[in-house]
Amino acid sequence: MRDHPADHPTVHPADHSAGAADTAPERTGRTVHLAVYDTMADWETGHATSTLAGHGFRVLSVGPGEEPVTTMGGLRVLPDLPLDRLDPADSALLILPGAGAWMAGDSLAPFAEAAREFVAAGVPVAAICGATVGLARAGLLDDRAHTSGAAEMLTFTGYAGGAHYREADAVTDRGVITAGPTDPEPFAREILARLDVLEPEVLEARFRLYAHSDASAYPILAAAEAAR
């Protein structure tokens, strides 16, 4: 883990303002797209997607094609749609998990290009672990605050954003969320905050419970669930 506390990620307030570049669920519907591909790291996105699905969002998987993919954990996943049918106008968010393939060749470059299209359309993108390497190669981190597993992971890409690297568990800047491989819960918190899924007090309680096993947070979550 990094030196500073996990419960203080670097978040840029402007990213939560109601500007033209922001995309709220009301504008795009309540559909989130999760990229799936061979060697995908199973554990990195479940905290986010399970909470989204439990709060009325439809989570659709997007594969390189229509064929099943095999995750790092050996699960076979049949994508809901192929990448060439993905349209930012139909989405509230694109999530890019890590995968060994991000570090080996450019087979996942089309997903990084899709991320560029999402950001250009004002739809946020969330990338964790190796997927941050894809964003760096695509130039999306050259002028944004960001993080990853380590600064060295991104330096070898030759990107121009080294000065904007932050030693943080998760970072949000102008529609792009990044996180390292050991931080699925901070990653989820940034996603849930970006889409206004939970009230701030409930979001913080959820983080305390799942990231730190803080039992005192449970009554807050239970009360919020009973009130739904």
Side-chain angles (χ1 to χ4, degrees), residues 13-41:
D15 214 64
H16 297 285
S17 64
D22 287 335
T23 304
E26 291 78 17
R27 284 176 52 195
T28 60
R30 293 175 67 83
T31 299
V32 168
H33 289 91
L34 171 68
V36 295
Y37 21 71
D38 288 337
T39 73
M40 165 187 164

Side-chain angles (χ1 to χ4, degrees), residues 96-196:
L96 300 176
W102 283 113
M103 311 298 291
D106 58 0
S107 63
L108 297 183
F111 285 94
E113 182 56 35
R116 286 175 56 89
E117 294 173 3
F118 267 62
V119 172
V123 183
V125 171
I128 185 169
C129 188
T132 62
V133 173
L135 296 194
R137 287 175 174 151
L140 288 171
L141 305 183
D142 285 348
D143 61 353
R144 286 180 170 85
H146 60 276
T147 192
S148 184
E152 294 77 11
M153 282 182 63
L154 305 182
T155 300
F156 87 93
T157 68
Y159 85 131
H164 302 291
Y165 187 86
R166 303 290 183 263
E167 288 291 344
D169 296 312
V171 174
T172 301
D173 189 5
R174 289 160 40 228
V176 175
I177 298 167
T178 51
T182 60
D183 302 304
E185 188 53 47
F187 185 58
R189 184 169 71 169
E190 296 300 294
I191 289 171
L192 300 176
R194 186 64 179 79
L195 296 180
D196 297 322

Side-chain angles (χ1 to χ4, degrees), residues 70-83:
T70 303
T71 71
M72 198 175 294
L75 299 179
R76 285 171 60 82
V77 178
L78 182 64
D80 292 305
L81 71 158
L83 183 59

